[in-house]
Short mmCIF file of all heavy atoms in Angstrom, two decimals:
data_model
loop_
_atom_site.label_atom_id
_atom_site.label_comp_id
_atom_site.label_asym_id
_atom_site.label_seq_id
_atom_site.Cartn_x
_atom_site.Cartn_y
_atom_site.Cartn_z
N GLY A 244 20.78 15.27 24.81
CA GLY A 244 19.43 15.71 25.13
C GLY A 244 18.49 15.77 23.95
O GLY A 244 17.27 15.81 24.14
N LEU A 245 19.01 15.78 22.71
CA LEU A 245 18.15 15.82 21.53
C LEU A 245 17.57 14.43 21.24
O LEU A 245 18.02 13.42 21.78
CB LEU A 245 18.93 16.33 20.33
CG LEU A 245 19.49 17.76 20.46
CD1 LEU A 245 20.24 18.16 19.21
CD2 LEU A 245 18.39 18.76 20.80
N TYR A 246 16.56 14.41 20.36
CA TYR A 246 15.80 13.17 20.12
C TYR A 246 15.90 12.73 18.66
O TYR A 246 15.76 13.54 17.75
CB TYR A 246 14.32 13.39 20.47
CG TYR A 246 14.09 13.50 21.96
CD1 TYR A 246 14.31 14.70 22.62
CD2 TYR A 246 13.67 12.41 22.71
CE1 TYR A 246 14.11 14.82 24.00
CE2 TYR A 246 13.46 12.51 24.08
CZ TYR A 246 13.68 13.72 24.71
OH TYR A 246 13.50 13.81 26.07
N TRP A 247 16.10 11.43 18.50
CA TRP A 247 16.04 10.80 17.19
C TRP A 247 14.57 10.64 16.77
O TRP A 247 13.64 10.90 17.54
CB TRP A 247 16.72 9.44 17.23
CG TRP A 247 18.21 9.52 17.42
CD1 TRP A 247 19.10 10.27 16.70
CD2 TRP A 247 18.99 8.81 18.40
NE1 TRP A 247 20.39 10.06 17.15
CE2 TRP A 247 20.36 9.17 18.19
CE3 TRP A 247 18.70 7.88 19.41
CZ2 TRP A 247 21.39 8.66 18.97
CZ3 TRP A 247 19.73 7.39 20.19
CH2 TRP A 247 21.06 7.78 19.97
N ASP A 248 14.35 10.17 15.54
CA ASP A 248 12.99 10.13 15.00
C ASP A 248 12.19 8.90 15.45
O ASP A 248 11.10 9.03 15.99
CB ASP A 248 13.04 10.18 13.47
CG ASP A 248 11.65 10.35 12.88
OD1 ASP A 248 11.03 11.39 13.16
OD2 ASP A 248 11.18 9.44 12.17
N HIS A 249 12.71 7.70 15.18
CA HIS A 249 11.91 6.51 15.51
C HIS A 249 12.80 5.27 15.54
O HIS A 249 13.96 5.31 15.13
CB HIS A 249 10.78 6.32 14.49
CG HIS A 249 11.23 5.92 13.11
ND1 HIS A 249 11.48 6.84 12.12
CD2 HIS A 249 11.47 4.70 12.56
CE1 HIS A 249 11.86 6.20 11.02
NE2 HIS A 249 11.87 4.90 11.26
N LEU A 250 12.20 4.19 16.02
CA LEU A 250 12.86 2.89 15.89
C LEU A 250 11.85 1.86 15.43
O LEU A 250 10.64 2.01 15.64
CB LEU A 250 13.53 2.45 17.19
CG LEU A 250 12.72 1.81 18.31
CD1 LEU A 250 13.66 1.24 19.37
CD2 LEU A 250 11.79 2.81 18.97
N ASP A 251 12.36 0.81 14.76
CA ASP A 251 11.48 -0.22 14.22
C ASP A 251 11.41 -1.40 15.19
O ASP A 251 11.98 -1.36 16.30
CB ASP A 251 11.92 -0.65 12.82
CG ASP A 251 13.32 -1.26 12.78
OD1 ASP A 251 13.81 -1.75 13.82
OD2 ASP A 251 13.91 -1.28 11.68
N LEU A 252 10.72 -2.44 14.77
CA LEU A 252 10.51 -3.58 15.67
C LEU A 252 11.78 -4.36 15.95
O LEU A 252 11.83 -5.13 16.91
CB LEU A 252 9.44 -4.51 15.09
CG LEU A 252 8.03 -3.91 14.98
CD1 LEU A 252 7.05 -4.97 14.49
CD2 LEU A 252 7.57 -3.33 16.32
N LYS A 253 12.80 -4.17 15.13
CA LYS A 253 14.08 -4.82 15.37
C LYS A 253 15.00 -3.99 16.26
O LYS A 253 16.10 -4.41 16.60
CB LYS A 253 14.79 -5.11 14.03
CG LYS A 253 14.04 -6.10 13.15
CD LYS A 253 14.79 -6.33 11.84
CE LYS A 253 14.05 -7.32 10.94
NZ LYS A 253 14.76 -7.52 9.65
N GLY A 254 14.54 -2.78 16.57
CA GLY A 254 15.33 -1.90 17.42
C GLY A 254 16.26 -0.99 16.65
O GLY A 254 17.07 -0.28 17.26
N THR A 255 16.16 -0.96 15.32
CA THR A 255 16.99 -0.07 14.51
C THR A 255 16.46 1.36 14.62
O THR A 255 15.28 1.61 14.39
CB THR A 255 16.99 -0.51 13.04
OG1 THR A 255 17.44 -1.86 12.96
CG2 THR A 255 17.88 0.38 12.21
N ILE A 256 17.35 2.27 14.96
CA ILE A 256 16.95 3.66 15.18
C ILE A 256 17.19 4.49 13.93
O ILE A 256 18.25 4.42 13.32
CB ILE A 256 17.74 4.26 16.36
CG1 ILE A 256 17.42 3.51 17.66
CG2 ILE A 256 17.42 5.75 16.52
CD1 ILE A 256 18.26 3.96 18.84
N GLU A 257 16.19 5.28 13.55
CA GLU A 257 16.32 6.27 12.49
C GLU A 257 16.73 7.58 13.17
O GLU A 257 15.96 8.13 13.96
CB GLU A 257 14.99 6.42 11.74
CG GLU A 257 15.13 6.89 10.31
CD GLU A 257 15.64 8.32 10.20
OE1 GLU A 257 15.05 9.22 10.80
OE2 GLU A 257 16.65 8.53 9.50
N LYS A 258 17.93 8.06 12.88
CA LYS A 258 18.54 9.08 13.71
C LYS A 258 18.43 10.51 13.20
O LYS A 258 19.19 11.38 13.62
CB LYS A 258 20.02 8.71 13.95
CG LYS A 258 20.19 7.43 14.75
CD LYS A 258 21.64 7.16 15.10
CE LYS A 258 21.76 5.93 16.00
NZ LYS A 258 23.17 5.68 16.39
N THR A 259 17.47 10.77 12.34
CA THR A 259 17.25 12.16 11.91
C THR A 259 16.80 13.00 13.11
O THR A 259 16.05 12.53 13.97
CB THR A 259 16.19 12.22 10.80
OG1 THR A 259 16.60 11.36 9.73
CG2 THR A 259 16.04 13.63 10.28
N ILE A 260 17.25 14.24 13.15
CA ILE A 260 16.91 15.16 14.24
C ILE A 260 15.98 16.24 13.68
O ILE A 260 16.43 17.19 13.04
CB ILE A 260 18.18 15.82 14.82
CG1 ILE A 260 19.20 14.76 15.22
CG2 ILE A 260 17.84 16.72 15.99
CD1 ILE A 260 18.74 13.86 16.34
N TRP A 261 14.68 16.07 13.88
CA TRP A 261 13.70 17.03 13.40
C TRP A 261 13.37 18.04 14.51
O TRP A 261 13.31 17.68 15.69
CB TRP A 261 12.40 16.33 12.97
CG TRP A 261 12.54 15.38 11.83
CD1 TRP A 261 12.32 14.04 11.85
CD2 TRP A 261 12.88 15.69 10.48
NE1 TRP A 261 12.52 13.49 10.60
CE2 TRP A 261 12.87 14.48 9.74
CE3 TRP A 261 13.21 16.88 9.81
CZ2 TRP A 261 13.16 14.43 8.38
CZ3 TRP A 261 13.51 16.83 8.46
CH2 TRP A 261 13.47 15.61 7.76
N SER A 262 13.09 19.27 14.13
CA SER A 262 12.89 20.32 15.14
C SER A 262 11.67 20.07 16.00
O SER A 262 11.69 20.34 17.21
CB SER A 262 12.82 21.70 14.47
OG SER A 262 11.77 21.79 13.54
N TYR A 263 10.57 19.56 15.43
CA TYR A 263 9.39 19.37 16.29
C TYR A 263 9.60 18.27 17.31
O TYR A 263 9.01 18.28 18.39
CB TYR A 263 8.13 19.16 15.47
CG TYR A 263 7.94 17.86 14.70
CD1 TYR A 263 6.64 17.48 14.30
CD2 TYR A 263 8.98 17.02 14.34
CE1 TYR A 263 6.43 16.33 13.58
CE2 TYR A 263 8.76 15.85 13.63
CZ TYR A 263 7.49 15.51 13.26
OH TYR A 263 7.27 14.35 12.54
N ASN A 264 10.50 17.32 17.01
CA ASN A 264 10.81 16.27 17.97
C ASN A 264 11.64 16.76 19.14
O ASN A 264 11.83 16.03 20.12
CB ASN A 264 11.55 15.12 17.28
CG ASN A 264 10.62 14.20 16.53
OD1 ASN A 264 9.42 14.16 16.79
ND2 ASN A 264 11.17 13.45 15.58
N GLN A 265 12.16 17.97 19.05
CA GLN A 265 12.87 18.58 20.18
C GLN A 265 11.92 19.50 20.95
O GLN A 265 11.96 19.55 22.17
CB GLN A 265 14.08 19.38 19.69
CG GLN A 265 14.90 18.73 18.57
CD GLN A 265 15.15 17.25 18.75
OE1 GLN A 265 15.53 16.79 19.82
NE2 GLN A 265 14.94 16.49 17.67
N GLY A 266 11.04 20.18 20.21
CA GLY A 266 10.13 21.10 20.88
C GLY A 266 9.16 20.41 21.81
O GLY A 266 8.96 20.86 22.95
N VAL A 267 8.53 19.34 21.35
CA VAL A 267 7.50 18.71 22.17
C VAL A 267 8.05 18.17 23.49
O VAL A 267 7.44 18.38 24.54
CB VAL A 267 6.75 17.62 21.38
CG1 VAL A 267 5.69 16.97 22.25
CG2 VAL A 267 6.09 18.22 20.14
N PRO A 268 9.22 17.50 23.52
CA PRO A 268 9.76 17.09 24.82
C PRO A 268 10.02 18.26 25.77
O PRO A 268 9.92 18.10 26.99
CB PRO A 268 11.05 16.36 24.45
CG PRO A 268 10.79 15.83 23.08
CD PRO A 268 9.99 16.90 22.41
N VAL A 269 10.38 19.42 25.22
CA VAL A 269 10.50 20.61 26.06
C VAL A 269 9.16 20.88 26.74
O VAL A 269 9.07 21.06 27.97
CB VAL A 269 10.95 21.83 25.24
CG1 VAL A 269 10.84 23.11 26.07
CG2 VAL A 269 12.38 21.65 24.75
N GLY A 270 8.10 20.90 25.94
CA GLY A 270 6.78 21.15 26.49
C GLY A 270 6.35 20.10 27.49
O GLY A 270 5.74 20.42 28.53
N VAL A 271 6.65 18.85 27.22
CA VAL A 271 6.29 17.77 28.14
C VAL A 271 6.96 17.98 29.50
O VAL A 271 6.32 17.86 30.56
CB VAL A 271 6.68 16.40 27.55
CG1 VAL A 271 6.59 15.30 28.61
CG2 VAL A 271 5.76 16.06 26.37
N ASN A 272 8.23 18.33 29.49
CA ASN A 272 8.94 18.52 30.75
C ASN A 272 8.45 19.77 31.49
O ASN A 272 8.42 19.78 32.73
CB ASN A 272 10.44 18.57 30.51
CG ASN A 272 11.03 17.17 30.39
OD1 ASN A 272 11.27 16.50 31.38
ND2 ASN A 272 11.25 16.73 29.16
N VAL A 273 8.06 20.80 30.76
CA VAL A 273 7.46 21.96 31.41
C VAL A 273 6.18 21.56 32.13
O VAL A 273 5.96 21.93 33.30
CB VAL A 273 7.18 23.07 30.39
CG1 VAL A 273 6.35 24.19 31.02
CG2 VAL A 273 8.47 23.65 29.84
N LEU A 274 5.34 20.79 31.46
CA LEU A 274 4.08 20.37 32.08
C LEU A 274 4.31 19.42 33.24
O LEU A 274 3.61 19.48 34.26
CB LEU A 274 3.16 19.74 31.03
CG LEU A 274 2.70 20.68 29.91
CD1 LEU A 274 1.77 19.95 28.95
CD2 LEU A 274 2.01 21.92 30.46
N LEU A 275 5.30 18.53 33.13
CA LEU A 275 5.64 17.66 34.26
C LEU A 275 6.09 18.49 35.46
O LEU A 275 5.76 18.18 36.62
CB LEU A 275 6.72 16.66 33.85
CG LEU A 275 6.25 15.46 33.04
CD1 LEU A 275 7.44 14.71 32.44
CD2 LEU A 275 5.41 14.51 33.91
N TYR A 276 6.84 19.54 35.19
CA TYR A 276 7.23 20.45 36.28
C TYR A 276 6.00 21.11 36.89
O TYR A 276 5.87 21.18 38.13
CB TYR A 276 8.21 21.51 35.76
CG TYR A 276 8.33 22.68 36.69
CD1 TYR A 276 8.95 22.55 37.94
CD2 TYR A 276 7.81 23.94 36.33
CE1 TYR A 276 9.04 23.64 38.80
CE2 TYR A 276 7.90 25.02 37.19
CZ TYR A 276 8.51 24.86 38.42
OH TYR A 276 8.59 25.93 39.28
N GLU A 277 5.10 21.60 36.06
CA GLU A 277 3.92 22.28 36.58
C GLU A 277 3.05 21.34 37.42
O GLU A 277 2.48 21.75 38.43
CB GLU A 277 3.11 22.88 35.44
CG GLU A 277 3.79 24.06 34.76
CD GLU A 277 2.90 24.76 33.77
OE1 GLU A 277 1.93 24.14 33.29
OE2 GLU A 277 3.18 25.94 33.45
N VAL A 278 2.99 20.08 36.99
CA VAL A 278 2.15 19.11 37.70
C VAL A 278 2.80 18.66 39.01
O VAL A 278 2.13 18.51 40.04
CB VAL A 278 1.87 17.90 36.78
CG1 VAL A 278 1.33 16.71 37.57
CG2 VAL A 278 0.91 18.29 35.67
#
Side-chain angles (χ1 to χ4, degrees):
L245 299 181
Y246 288 82
W247 292 309
D248 188 63
H249 70 267
L250 81 170
D251 62 21
L252 295 184
K253 295 180 180 179
T255 303
I256 297 174
E257 206 293 306
K258 295 186 176 182
T259 305
I260 307 295
W261 297 116
S262 59
Y263 71 160
N264 280 339
Q265 319 317 314
V267 179
V269 170
V271 168
N272 278 281
V273 171
L274 296 181
L275 281 167
Y276 163 69
E277 290 188 339
V278 165

